Amino acid sequence: MTQPAFMKKIIHLSDLHIGYPGCYKNAKKLFASIIQEIKDPGNHIIIITGDLVNNAFNIRAVRRAQKFIAGLERAGFVVLVVPGNHDYGTSGIGFHFFVKCFKKNYYKNKNISYPKVDVVSSVAFFGLDSTAEELSLADFLFAEGELGKEQLARLDKMLASPIYKDLRKVVYLHHH
């Protein structure tokens, strides 16, 4: 039997809530442990599925989250992130302003659209945004997560595309 081409390990993190009491300290220990304990960062992908911060208004928490991710990347890890509801505001109220901030802070491109695709080795990673569709006054279920018909249609088209035909596919998102 042939071994699969992709032999990397996935480390999945979510809901770090940096800025909430105690969470910065826990995240600091977690990231230090990952860097210290994993001797082969090139064989790992770290996926963070939202709520990096507890409140997007807390600039200090946002900067700390960015610093943690930059540290992982400097150590040799590939880090993929998607937003959660707290990354766009607070747990119950989100703001379009923070959508562009998140993209600029973590992708260096405020105009990127979802699904966000990253191809690593022989795997296509499709990151989804499960909260941007809910940023309206009419929707009071902000923390429930919603992908929206347009994003799902783009995902379906991408998954069926010949570009990704021979690749394994991983779809990742915050709670939906």
Side-chain angles (χ1 to χ4, degrees):
M1 182 173 192
T2 309
Q3 288 292 322
F6 183 76
M7 295 301 290
K8 293 184 185 284
K9 296 177 182 176
I10 296 174
I11 299 170
H12 177 217
L13 306 174
S14 190
D15 295 277
L16 300 170
H17 289 279
I18 296 166
Y20 187 81
C23 288
Y24 168 72
K25 189 176 181 180
N26 291 340
K28 187 174 182 179
K29 286 180 188 176
L30 174 66
F31 287 108
S33 177
I34 289 170
I35 291 169
Q36 184 177 23
E37 299 295 325
I38 297 177
K39 303 300 181 203
D40 57 347
N43 289 324
H44 293 76
I45 305 274
I46 298 176
I47 296 176
I48 306 174
T49 54
D51 287 352
L52 284 83
V53 298
N54 194 57
N55 183 333
F57 288 97
N58 183 338
I59 300 302
R60 184 176 188 198
V62 171
R63 296 291 177 242
R64 284 177 162 176
Q66 289 177 282
K67 185 177 177 183
F68 286 142
I69 291 170
L72 290 170
E73 291 172 340
R74 278 193 308 277
F77 292 95
V78 172
V79 182
L80 306 176
V81 300
V82 290
N85 53 304
H86 288 258
D87 298 312
Y88 287 167
T90 64
S91 64
I93 302 172
F95 297 90
H96 287 284
F97 169 78
F98 289 119
V99 174
K100 288 191 177 191
C101 289
F102 186 90
K103 291 176 180 181
K104 184 180 176 201
N105 290 338
Y106 299 104
Y107 309 143
K108 309 300 184 242
N109 179 351
K110 65 181 180 179
N111 297 313
I112 200 162
S113 62
Y114 296 96
K116 179 186 177 298
V117 183
D118 294 280
V119 176
V120 181
S121 297
S122 60
V123 178
F125 291 88
F126 299 89
L128 303 177
D129 182 348
S130 64
T131 57
E133 294 289 329
E134 296 184 328
L135 297 180
S136 70
L137 293 175
D139 193 339
F140 295 105
L141 300 175
F142 182 69
E144 294 294 318
E146 184 174 324
L147 294 170
K149 292 178 184 177
E150 292 176 13
Q151 185 176 196
L152 287 173
R154 288 190 303 272
L155 177 63
D156 285 343
K157 187 175 180 179
M158 293 169 120
L159 291 172
S161 169
I163 295 170
Y164 306 111
K165 181 184 128 206
D166 295 327
L167 300 177
R168 292 183 184 196
K169 297 160 191 76
V170 173
V171 177
Y172 63 104
L173 63 150
H174 191 59
H175 52 74
H176 175 63

